[in-house]
């Protein structure tokens, strides 16, 4: 019997490294490629339409944007603008998608496909398109074009490792192997800030709504910045486990809202062992107060090395991927694991993204509590659904307690006639 896997939404003709979800159009955007090596593996950004067909969430390819010799390793989304990290550069892409009037595409043939390449909608034009060419299909029109591009990393072996937009999408920040944070205007990509954040590679960064920037690097440090001024450094072991001989480094960081608290803010980080050991120690997940950056709670998240982290739109759930292909969903409040699929991909999970809770999100989610997408080097995009947790109303609990008390009194009265 084979290992249990999550449902596969589609399979790309190249390794997948980055993932975003556009809530307004219901588009799943996956990117990757084989790089500049002449192996015959293409590079591209795939746009897939999410739909519910026969009660199940399905994805169908509507446009493939060719990125020539550059594989996209990281993505950030701001409305209809994508920031794509390609080698040492950041490429902005603009896309437009809207429904056409007229007959909708046939949906019957979309389910159950087992082809090696991405599924295409019935009547779709060939997937590979040049920059700026419209893709038209029954019921859908999509156009993608390249905007500005800029080099963002200048190390001897340059590579942009992370990109993210600020809260109002007017700026984007990049980090890479040279340890520098660079901030750029959108969409002109005019540089407005540059400073050395880490000795060695920047592994991840996150921009908060108040303008604070959190960076984590291979120098084992996690730092909070206000522009180029260091505000504080994070110390996750202050209220957590201590290890005298096992150095840990921060692998990922993400800001998230506090559910039911509009002004509340949390920071979440993942800590992994800095060196591979024969008996690997556990990895850890930490929640921080987003205003004073003090650790609130730390929990072990298993012995598999964590490769990526994401937070749901409302801040309720955390999604994790591992280097061994496993995928997990945690509840952000208590850091309790709600869902775990062991080695679902069988190889390193490169990115995870939640289905947004706005736009078409609720329509696509159906009766489930949340949906997490994952991509990996195996070229697959998988779907992980968390069933709705059943809750008992408070009034029913009170009624049950009263009933239990009455039954207990009656039993005591029957056993001991003079009890009352």
């Amino acid at each position: 019997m084979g290992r249990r896997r999550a449902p596969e939404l589609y399979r790309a003709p190249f390794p997948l490294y980055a993932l975003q979800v556009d809530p307004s159009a219901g588009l799943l955007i996956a990117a990757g490629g084989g790089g500049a090596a002449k192996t015959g593996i293409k590079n591209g950004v795939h746009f897939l339409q999410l739909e519910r067909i026969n009660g199940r969430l399905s994805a169908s390819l509507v446009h493939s944007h060719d990125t020539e010799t550059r594989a996209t390793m990281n993505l950030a989304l701001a409305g209809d603008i994508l920031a794509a990290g390609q080698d040492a550069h950041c490429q902005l892409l603009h896309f437009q998608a809207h429904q056409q009037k007229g007959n909708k595409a046939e949906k019957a043939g979309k389910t159950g496909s087992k082809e090696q390449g991405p599924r295409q909608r019935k009547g779709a034009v060939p997937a590979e398109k040049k920059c700026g060419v419209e893709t038209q299909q029954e019921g859908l029109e999509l156009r993608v074009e390249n905007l500005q591009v800029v080099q963002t990393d200048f190390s001897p072996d340059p590579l942009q490792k992370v990109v993210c937009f600020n809260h109002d999408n007017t700026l984007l920040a990049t980090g890479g192997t040279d340890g520098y944070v660079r901030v750029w205007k959108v969409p002109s990509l005019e540089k407005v800030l540059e400073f050395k954040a880490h000795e060695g590679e920047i592994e991840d960064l996150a921009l908060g709504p108040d303008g604070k920037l959190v960076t984590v690097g291979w120098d084992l440090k996690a730092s909070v910045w206000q522009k180029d001024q260091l505000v504080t450094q994070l110390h996750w072991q202050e209220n957590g486990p201590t290890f005298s001989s096992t150095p840990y480094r921060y692998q990922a960081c993400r800001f998230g809202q506090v559910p039911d608290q509009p002004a509340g803010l949390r920071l979440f980080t993942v800590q992994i062992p800095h060196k591979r050991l024969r008996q690997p120690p556990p990895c850890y997940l930490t929640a921080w107060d987003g205003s004073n950056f003090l650790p609130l709670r730390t929990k072990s998240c298993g012995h598999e090395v964590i490769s990526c982290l994401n937070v749901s739109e409302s801040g309720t759930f955390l999604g994790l991927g591992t280097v061994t292909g496993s995928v997990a969903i945690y509840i952000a409040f208590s850091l309790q694991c709600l869902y775990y699929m062991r080695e679902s991909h069988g190889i390193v999970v490169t990115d995870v993204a939640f289905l947004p809770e706005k736009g078409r999100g609720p329509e696509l989610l159906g009766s489930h509590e949340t949906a997490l997408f994952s991509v990996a080097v195996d070229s697959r995009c998988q779907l992980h659904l968390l069933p709705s947790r059943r809750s008992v109303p408070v009034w029913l609990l009170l009624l049950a307690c009263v009933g239990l008390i009455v039954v207990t009194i009656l039993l005591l009265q029957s056993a001991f006639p003079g009890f009352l």
Side-chain angles (χ1 to χ4, degrees), residues 114-156:
K114 295 184 179 180
E115 296 178 352
Q116 295 299 308
R119 286 182 296 146
Q120 297 190 27
R121 297 168 64 89
K122 185 176 180 180
V125 294
E128 299 303 324
K129 289 292 177 182
K130 294 182 180 179
C131 167
V133 176
E134 265 185 10
T135 300
Q136 293 189 6
Q137 303 189 101
E138 298 179 42
L140 187 70
E141 182 178 298
L142 181 69
R143 182 181 179 86
V144 182
E145 59 180 338
N146 288 333
L147 298 179
Q148 303 294 326
V149 62
V150 67
Q151 184 172 350
T152 61
D153 194 84
F154 298 89
S155 66

Side-chain angles (χ1 to χ4, degrees), residues 303-352:
H303 292 264
E304 295 176 88
V305 177
I306 304 301
S307 57
C308 53
L309 163 73
N310 214 330
V311 184
S312 66
E313 191 174 36
S314 64
T316 305
F317 302 105
L318 307 177
L320 296 178
T322 75
V323 298
T324 50
S326 302
V327 177
I329 299 175
Y330 284 71
I331 190 165
F333 172 74
S334 61
L335 304 185
Q336 174 188 356
C337 184
L338 301 177
Y339 170 98
Y340 174 71
M341 185 68 70
R342 180 177 174 81
E343 297 181 8
S344 181
H345 283 277
I347 198 170
V348 58
V349 178
T350 49
D351 204 0
V352 292

Side-chain angles (χ1 to χ4, degrees), residues 102-365:
N103 295 330
K104 292 186 178 180
E106 292 289 333
K107 296 182 180 179
K110 295 179 190 175
T111 57
S113 173
K114 295 184 179 180
E115 296 178 352
Q116 295 299 308
R119 286 182 296 146
Q120 297 190 27
R121 297 168 64 89
K122 185 176 180 180
V125 294
E128 299 303 324
K129 289 292 177 182
K130 294 182 180 179
C131 167
V133 176
E134 265 185 10
T135 300
Q136 293 189 6
Q137 303 189 101
E138 298 179 42
L140 187 70
E141 182 178 298
L142 181 69
R143 182 181 179 86
V144 182
E145 59 180 338
N146 288 333
L147 298 179
Q148 303 294 326
V149 62
V150 67
Q151 184 172 350
T152 61
D153 194 84
F154 298 89
S155 66
D157 188 15
L159 177 66
Q160 176 182 300
K161 299 194 69 174
V162 59
V163 58
C164 69
F165 287 93
N166 67 341
H167 70 287
D168 61 2
N169 300 330
T170 58
L171 300 171
L172 67 83
T174 60
T177 54
D178 64 1
Y180 278 82
V181 169
R182 296 176 176 90
V183 181
W184 315 83
K185 286 185 180 180
V186 177
S188 66
L189 291 187
E190 175 189 349
K191 185 165 62 179
V192 297
L193 186 64
E194 176 182 23
F195 63 93
K196 182 78 169 179
H198 292 273
E199 296 297 331
E201 300 181 11
I202 293 177
E203 189 64 36
D204 201 4
L205 58 82
L207 275 166
D210 58 354
K212 287 190 174 65
L213 173 71
V214 177
T215 62
V216 301
W218 276 65
D219 57 2
L220 313 186
K221 295 179 181 178
S223 303
V224 182
W225 307 85
Q226 188 74 54
K227 294 187 176 180
D228 58 351
Q229 299 300 309
L230 180 64
V231 176
T232 187
Q233 288 188 340
L234 304 183
H235 301 283
W236 70 280
Q237 291 178 323
E238 283 188 353
N239 68 342
T242 57
F243 301 96
S244 58
S245 59
T246 305
Y248 276 75
R249 67 175 175 87
Y250 296 87
Q251 170 67 13
C253 58
R254 287 290 185 276
F255 280 105
Q257 297 179 355
V258 180
D260 302 323
Q261 295 183 27
L265 188 66
R266 292 284 184 268
L267 174 71
F268 299 94
T269 61
V270 167
Q271 294 81 239
I272 66 173
H274 185 54
K275 295 181 180 180
R276 299 288 179 89
L277 302 175
R278 178 172 297 180
Q279 294 183 341
C283 297
Y284 288 92
L285 186 60
T286 300
W288 308 77
D289 188 301
S291 57
N292 57 27
F293 296 98
L294 294 176
L296 299 174
R297 62 188 60 87
T298 295
K299 291 284 186 70
S300 168
C301 49
H303 292 264
E304 295 176 88
V305 177
I306 304 301
S307 57
C308 53
L309 163 73
N310 214 330
V311 184
S312 66
E313 191 174 36
S314 64
T316 305
F317 302 105
L318 307 177
L320 296 178
T322 75
V323 298
T324 50
S326 302
V327 177
I329 299 175
Y330 284 71
I331 190 165
F333 172 74
S334 61
L335 304 185
Q336 174 188 356
C337 184
L338 301 177
Y339 170 98
Y340 174 71
M341 185 68 70
R342 180 177 174 81
E343 297 181 8
S344 181
H345 283 277
I347 198 170
V348 58
V349 178
T350 49
D351 204 0
V352 292
F354 283 96
L355 181 68
E357 295 150 13
K358 297 178 181 177
R360 295 191 59 210
E363 166 199 343
L364 296 169
L365 189 60

